[in-house]
Amino acid sequence: MAHSSRDTAEGAGWGNAQLGTYKGLMPARVEKLSWLDPRTLWPARNGVLASWFGDPTGRTRGRWVEQRVAAGAPADGVVRRTDSDHFSFMVIGDTGEGDDPQYAVVPGFLKASQGTDFAVLASDVIYPVGSTEDYGTKFFRPYRDYPAPIYAIPGNHDWYEDLQGFMRVFCEAPPLTPQARPRPLTRAWFRSLLWHSPGTADEQRLAEARALRSAPSQQAVQPGPYWAIDAGPVRIIGIDTGLLGTIDAEQGRWLREVSRGERPKILVTGSPLYVDGEHHPCAIEGGGTVDAIVRDPEHHYVAAIGGDIHNYQRYPVRVDGGRTIQYVVAGGGGAFMHATHTVPRVSVADVTEEEFRCYPLRGDSLAFYSRLYGRRLRMPRFFTLTEAEATAVIAERLGIPPTRTQGEPVRLTRRIRVVASLLGAGRRPGRNTHFRLPVRKTYTQLFSPGSATYSPPFFKCFLRLDVTPSAVHLRCHSATGTLDHEIDPPVEDEVTIPLS
């Protein structure tokens, strides 16, 4: 088994390892997505408009679901598969930027997924706005050699064109019929003045893209943007959290209904319920939360997996009845890496730092971002930290031992400590946190590694889940872009989840 980042620096992808073969999978011309480019940001404006003038996704989602039911999709939204009591599936989140980091995941994903029965894409299938035109290079081409069906739940970026591309590809749904304009001077009217709407799809281009995944074994049509899959002994439930990370009342009613019964359940959501040391229970329109449904002992959830945040995190949360639910963040499938070094020492829902897991390790995240800021600000001598320096200063700030064994002791200088503080490295609860740049999700999009870094290590990841009648074995594999990790994808974390 290959060394992981928890074992050695080489296992994290540092050093002079040979470049992987992933570039041979990429198209000849790749549009490099930049979140500094107004041409990227302007079409992605619908999330801001929804927060200012009201979120229309619940109503639009309802129209999509009604259309699919009228076309013959199961009214209960359940896909009933014929898998045996022993089966496996993959989960990969936030995939579709279409550049080096996304394609660097593919060889290891194909290797680790051998023998699996299907895969689930967890949030943000296509960046930047979920356009139908982008599915060729950002979905069909990279996963053309995965031989099994792929199901998906949308993320906020898939909603930036009213979910039209997502529904066309995964549900074979035609566009919705246009609606009348809102009454003048209402909030909906002001929103409509600037709303980004989908264009007309190029049917020939889409047909050519579909041909890349046209084998009978690859086909699956899901009932809508949210669904449940009965497979072997478990039910996997995927929910659609729209533009703003919430679900509408009708989807909430459906979620409560499909959550009933003694069958063990796994939630897949576009908005993780625990992330960055915080609890985000996910509000349901009209009252209640998604996490309250997950925690209800009568619903028998064993795990909740969320995309949206582009790294891996795991929180084993003990709930009523002596049960433990594994809350997992799994959004590292291709889009730019969200920092983990900003995560403070974990103390949430009685989960301790010793029980918490993340990838990349905080020290590797800090070293990665120090190089990024050094290049972007043209101050590499000041900002750049070695992985050993970054690991040592994280250990000091959090009051924890280094995750992997270090060589010679590192002398922590004032410069190292200042850089760690400027880049927002986490601290122990209650410690002074002045002089931190805002490098959580919004700021890491500004200096996005996805628009600045095209050489390893990429610090991407994906999950494999092996299901038996008694347990689910979850493994997080890393993908760094190096050849050795393509051949033998390292296991960064694994846990066995009892089903009884």
Side-chain angles (χ1 to χ4, degrees), residues 118-121 139 143 146 148-152 170 213 218 220 222:
F118 59 91
V120 175
L121 298 189
F139 173 70
Y143 309 117
Y146 180 66
I150 297 177
Y151 304 92
F170 292 103
R213 278 188 53 83
Q218 295 175 314
Q222 62 188 55

Side-chain angles (χ1 to χ4, degrees), residues 202-464:
D202 184 329
E203 295 299 330
Q204 181 177 349
R205 184 174 176 179
L206 181 58
E208 292 171 353
R210 283 188 181 278
L212 297 173
R213 278 188 53 83
S214 58
S217 65
Q218 295 175 314
Q219 305 312 302
V221 178
Q222 62 188 55
Y226 55 88
W227 41 258
I229 297 174
D230 285 346
V234 301
R235 170 169 282 185
I236 304 159
I237 298 173
I239 61 173
D240 169 17
T241 54
L243 282 171
L244 301 181
T246 61
I247 68 174
D248 61 275
E250 176 56 29
Q251 187 180 178
R253 183 205 61 76
W254 171 87
L255 178 60
R256 292 183 175 96
E257 182 66 29
V258 297
S259 296
R260 293 176 180 170
E262 296 185 359
R263 193 170 195 158
K265 297 172 187 72
I266 298 170
L267 181 75
V268 183
T269 170
S271 300
L273 303 179
Y274 282 88
V275 61
D276 293 348
E278 299 172 349
H279 183 210
H280 298 269
C282 187
I284 299 173
E285 180 186 26
T289 68
V290 170
D291 196 34
I293 295 173
V294 169
R295 287 169 173 260
D296 189 325
E298 294 187 359
H299 294 158
H300 300 276
Y301 278 88
V302 298
I305 302 171
D308 188 51
I309 302 301
H310 307 165
N311 53 46
Y312 171 82
Q313 301 175 42
R314 181 169 64 84
Y315 302 81
V317 177
R318 289 170 288 278
V319 296
D320 293 344
R323 301 174 300 129
T324 296
I325 298 175
Q326 299 290 340
Y327 290 86
V328 176
V329 178
F336 68 87
M337 185 192 85
H338 281 137
T340 57
H341 66 266
T342 59
V343 180
R345 179 164 175 157
V346 170
S347 179
V348 60
D350 293 327
V351 177
T352 65
E353 178 66 33
E354 291 72 24
E355 297 170 307
F356 169 71
R357 293 290 183 271
C358 70
Y359 176 81
L361 299 178
R362 291 182 179 100
D364 291 329
S365 170
L366 178 58
F368 183 95
Y369 269 92
S370 74
R371 287 160 170 76
L372 173 65
Y373 274 75
R375 287 193 303 271
R376 281 300 180 97
L377 299 178
R378 298 183 180 180
M379 301 173 64
R381 293 187 63 183
F382 174 74
F383 270 101
T384 301
L385 305 180
T386 68
E387 59 82 19
E389 290 170 340
T391 298
V393 75
I394 287 291
E396 177 187 76
R397 290 174 69 89
L398 295 182
I400 60 175
T403 304
R404 61 174 175 254
T405 304
Q406 301 295 302
E408 293 295 321
V410 174
R411 185 174 71 87
L412 291 178
T413 64
R414 179 176 178 82
R415 179 189 70 87
I416 294 171
R417 292 186 173 103
V418 168
V419 169
S421 183
L422 287 173
L423 296 185
R427 282 187 176 273
R428 284 171 278 183
R431 292 291 296 272
N432 187 302
T433 56
H434 296 318
F435 308 113
R436 284 177 55 174
L437 289 176
V439 294
R440 290 185 183 271
K441 184 176 180 181
T442 301
Y443 207 77
T444 54
Q445 284 182 332
L446 181 62
F447 277 3
S448 155
S451 61
T453 304
Y454 294 95
S455 59
F458 293 119
F459 297 111
K460 305 291 102 185
C461 57
F462 53 88
L463 308 182
R464 175 173 173 138

Side-chain angles (χ1 to χ4, degrees), residues 183-200:
R183 288 186 295 107
L185 303 181
T186 62
R187 294 179 73 199
W189 180 79
F190 283 112
R191 183 181 64 225
S192 71
L193 295 179
L194 293 174
W195 195 257
H196 174 72
S197 299
T200 303

Side-chain angles (χ1 to χ4, degrees), residues 22-143:
Y22 65 88
K23 283 186 177 290
L25 305 174
M26 299 174 66
R29 182 180 177 275
V30 175
E31 181 182 355
K32 295 182 177 180
L33 186 63
S34 173
W35 293 101
L36 293 172
D37 190 339
R39 292 172 297 178
T40 300
L41 295 174
W42 180 241
R45 62 189 179 271
N46 286 0
V48 175
L49 295 173
S51 65
W52 289 352
F53 300 111
D55 184 2
T57 56
R59 183 175 180 180
T60 305
R61 184 188 296 117
R63 295 180 65 210
W64 282 120
V65 172
E66 288 175 5
Q67 182 207 73
R68 299 316 305 139
V69 171
D76 61 0
V78 179
V79 177
R80 293 172 174 84
R81 293 179 53 87
T82 58
D83 303 292
S84 72
D85 284 347
H86 295 74
F87 77 98
S88 304
F89 69 103
M90 305 295 289
V91 175
I92 181 170
D94 298 80
T95 53
E97 287 192 350
D99 51 11
D100 290 59
Q102 179 178 9
Y103 279 87
V105 176
V106 174
F109 176 85
L110 294 176
K111 184 67 178 290
S113 66
Q114 291 178 6
T116 57
D117 296 273
F118 59 91
V120 175
L121 298 189
S123 179
D124 289 340
V125 180
I126 302 294
Y127 290 91
V129 296
S131 172
T132 308
E133 306 302 301
D134 288 335
Y135 269 85
T137 57
K138 299 178 181 181
F139 173 70
F140 288 107
R141 185 183 182 100
Y143 309 117

